């Protein structure tokens, strides 16, 4: 349920689900590491001309 000024949360309500938050943060960090690894592999192997656009887009995001 969405709580707002008309629907107040119960006194014992937990407004943040810390377990879900920690799980999401962990997935975010793993995704970040994977993307960094992909970028480093592309950089190491000098992508051919048809990957250059993708390589440049990744480089811009990581800067």
């Amino acid at each position: 349920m969405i709580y707002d000024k008309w629907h107040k949360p119960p006194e014992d309500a937990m407004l943040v689900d810390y377990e879900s938050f920690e799980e999401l943060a962990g997935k975010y960090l793993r995704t970040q590491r994977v993307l960094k690894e992909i970028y480093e592999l592309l950089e190491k192997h000098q992508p051919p001309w048809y990957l250059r656009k993708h390589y440049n887009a990744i480089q811009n995001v990581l800067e």
Side-chain angles (χ1 to χ4, degrees):
M1 177 173 197
I2 297 175
Y3 298 109
D4 54 25
K5 65 182 179 179
W6 296 283
H7 301 93
K8 299 289 183 194
E11 291 297 320
D12 62 344
M14 190 167 65
L15 299 178
V16 176
D17 183 2
Y18 289 103
E19 290 178 14
S20 295
F21 179 76
E22 288 175 1
E23 180 183 348
L24 183 62
K27 287 180 181 181
Y28 172 76
L29 292 174
R30 285 191 299 273
T31 302
Q32 204 173 30
R33 284 194 298 266
V34 167
L35 290 175
K36 185 76 173 166
E37 181 70 24
I38 290 169
Y39 171 77
E40 289 171 0
L41 286 170
L42 282 173
E43 188 175 45
K44 180 179 178 181
H45 296 288
Q46 292 298 312
W49 65 271
Y50 58 87
L51 284 178
R52 180 59 61 185
K53 179 176 73 172
H54 303 295
Y55 172 82
N56 289 338
I58 293 169
Q59 185 176 14
N60 289 336
V61 169
L62 291 175
E63 289 178 348

